[in-house]
Amino acid sequence: MASHRKSRPSGARAAGIRTPALATAALTSVALLSQTADAAPAPAPDGKPSLEEVEKKVDDLYRQAESATEKYNAAKERTTKQRKRVDTLLDDVARRTQKLNSAREELGSFAAAQYRSGASTPDTATFLLADTPQDYFDQTQLMSRLTSRQKGAVDDYVTEQSATMKKRQEATRSLQTLTETQGDLHTAKATVQQKLSAARAMLSKLTAEEKARLAEIERKKQEAAAEKAAELAKQQKAEQAARQDTPDSSSSSASSSPSASSPSSASSASGDAYSVKAGKALAFARAQVGKPYVWGATGPGSYDCSGLTQAAWKAAGVTLPRTTYDQVNAGTTVPLADARPGDLIFFYDDVTHVGLYIGNGMMIHAPKPGAYVREESVYYGGESIIHSVVRPA
């Protein structure tokens, strides 16, 4: 990643995410929501939850499943890395063991030669049978009888024995860590499956009429979100026009000095380079529209939210981390009003959802289980759930 990127705490909402123009609308929305809360629907006569309660519960379950999915992705990534480390350590231990055996064989040949010549048989035999040969060879009397080649063989043996033991201990610890991360992986997987099963069970109990009403509620939400997206697009265009109409003092001063380099020119060149990469990422994302959301999937036939954004920017030559928790720190945070096509938009305080901004208040994302990759307003769940905007390149 570029050196200008700075990490940010994943739990804090980015400063500047709201704008004065949107604040009034947000207050109005809060007031309306308060009125709606005061007029909550009464429970059904038969004790069944209301349709609104079912919708909220299902949405909560999907949210919990998505959160568990990101934990699953993180555990899977750790498991993969740890497995590679364990394999590397075990290979190293095998190589060192082979060298240790070679050193032992060389010492054995010295002992056999001494035995045949009748020289120093007791000392050599004692060395080979000793549990700690280093302690024995520290004795000056025996060391004085060894040739320089024999001393070298002994040193090699002791060094390899110590190094091999350390690597074996390291491999044992890594295996324990691998077992723990595999446990986290299984736990996260079970949580995802449990939440999805609960959501499906609730939806399966709805009648055809209730499902139709639920679809109508969703349609109205999307209409409201589309209106908010249009407001954001209008605001962004107005601010862009204002910037273009503002004289650039740096550029006028630079024009008086031919050798000077204009900061605005450098900024423009950087912006153009980003636009090219973002265009490639967006082209890839658009080609995935209609493919199903599958938790833990990274393509090509299906995606989860962070799997889609990772694959899209990979198509542009930019490597993003696997999870939303890491992607949110993989770039420069910008205000929502300054969002550009290609930027990553993160949602919820625990940063468990991400989409790819395409402009005009819209994004492409893999929404949730049971849904498909689609274009949708960044306000699909309301303004309050928008966490931050990050420019990844």
Side-chain angles (χ1 to χ4, degrees):
M1 293 298 168
S3 59
H4 69 276
R5 295 171 186 167
K6 53 184 180 180
S7 62
R8 56 184 299 284
S10 61
R13 190 179 303 279
I17 196 69
R18 302 183 187 279
T19 59
L22 296 178
T24 301
L27 291 173
T28 303
S29 299
V30 169
L32 290 173
L33 288 172
S34 298
Q35 296 173 7
T36 303
D38 294 337
D46 58 0
K48 289 176 58 179
S50 68
L51 194 59
E52 289 78 6
E53 290 173 334
V54 170
E55 181 197 30
K56 184 180 184 306
K57 181 62 176 177
V58 169
D59 285 345
D60 288 345
L61 287 169
Y62 279 144
R63 272 274 298 113
Q64 294 167 20
E66 190 167 39
S67 177
T69 295
E70 289 304 312
K71 292 178 181 178
Y72 170 86
N73 292 338
K76 185 176 181 180
E77 190 172 43
R78 290 196 305 271
T79 299
T80 300
K81 291 180 179 178
Q82 196 63 32
R83 184 176 288 112
K84 289 181 179 178
R85 174 169 174 75
V86 168
D87 289 343
T88 299
L89 285 171
L90 291 177
D91 288 343
D92 191 16
V93 168
R95 286 192 297 270
R96 290 180 180 278
T97 299
Q98 186 175 6
K99 291 178 67 176
L100 185 63
N101 291 336
S102 297
R104 185 181 291 113
E105 289 174 2
E106 186 173 8
L107 290 177
S109 65
F110 291 154
Q114 289 176 338
Y115 179 78
R116 287 191 297 271
S117 63
S120 304
T121 301
D123 288 332
T124 302
T126 301
F127 163 70
L128 290 175
L129 294 173
D131 291 332
T132 55
Q134 180 61 59
D135 292 341
Y136 183 75
F137 278 111
D138 283 340
Q139 301 177 38
T140 306
Q141 182 180 3
L142 180 59
M143 292 299 292
S144 64
R145 297 175 185 162
L146 299 176
T147 65
S148 59
R149 181 183 174 190
Q150 290 172 326
K151 288 179 181 179
V154 170
D155 290 341
D156 290 344
Y157 176 81
V158 173
T159 299
E160 285 301 328
Q161 185 184 50
S162 175
T164 301
M165 183 174 296
K166 289 180 180 179
K167 284 297 180 181
R168 282 175 177 165
Q169 293 171 346
E170 188 177 354
T172 299
R173 290 193 297 269
S174 292
L175 281 170
Q176 292 173 345
T177 302
L178 176 60
T179 301
E180 292 172 1
T181 54
Q182 286 176 328
D184 294 340
L185 185 65
H186 294 153
T187 299
K189 182 177 181 179
T191 301
V192 173
Q193 293 173 334
Q194 178 187 2
K195 300 300 181 183
L196 293 181
S197 295
R200 294 189 189 105
M202 291 193 71
L203 291 174
S204 68
K205 296 178 182 179
L206 297 179
T207 65
E209 180 184 356
E210 288 173 330
K211 290 179 180 178
R213 286 171 52 203
L214 195 61
E216 179 63 16
I217 292 174
E218 181 65 22
R219 186 187 66 79
K220 289 181 178 179
K221 282 186 177 180
Q222 290 180 352
E223 286 181 354
E227 290 177 2
K228 292 284 292 179
E231 292 175 11
L232 176 61
K234 184 177 180 181
Q235 178 192 358
Q236 289 178 329
K237 288 178 181 178
E239 291 183 358
Q240 183 179 6
R243 284 194 296 266
Q244 291 175 345
D245 292 340
T246 302
D248 191 341
S249 59
S250 63
S251 106
S252 60
S253 62
S255 62
S256 63
S257 175
S259 61
S261 174
S262 169
S264 62
S265 298
S267 176
S268 176
S270 175
D272 291 343
Y274 178 78
S275 296
V276 171
K277 292 180 179 179
K280 293 179 180 179
L282 290 173
F284 178 92
R286 286 192 173 98
Q288 312 314 308
V289 170
K291 294 183 178 180
Y293 175 104
V294 174
W295 65 273
T298 57
S302 58
Y303 298 89
D304 63 17
C305 66
S306 55
L308 177 63
T309 51
Q310 183 189 45
W313 271 103
K314 182 179 180 181
V318 176
T319 300
L320 293 182
R322 175 63 183 93
T323 68
T324 54
Y325 311 130
D326 294 324
Q327 288 183 11
V328 74
N329 294 319
T332 304
T333 302
V334 298
L336 177 60
D338 293 338
R340 295 176 55 182
D343 289 351
L344 303 175
I345 299 192
F346 295 89
F347 299 87
Y348 304 107
D349 289 336
D350 55 356
V351 199
T352 50
H353 189 69
V354 62
L356 194 67
Y357 190 63
I358 61 176
N360 296 323
M362 303 292 288
M363 66 176 175
I364 296 176
H365 69 148
K368 60 184 178 181
Y372 298 84
V373 175
R374 66 194 183 202
E375 293 187 10
E376 193 166 28
S377 167
V378 298
Y379 298 104
Y380 77 103
E383 184 179 2
S384 63
I385 70 168
I386 299 176
H387 179 277
S388 56
V389 181
V390 171
R391 189 157 299 155

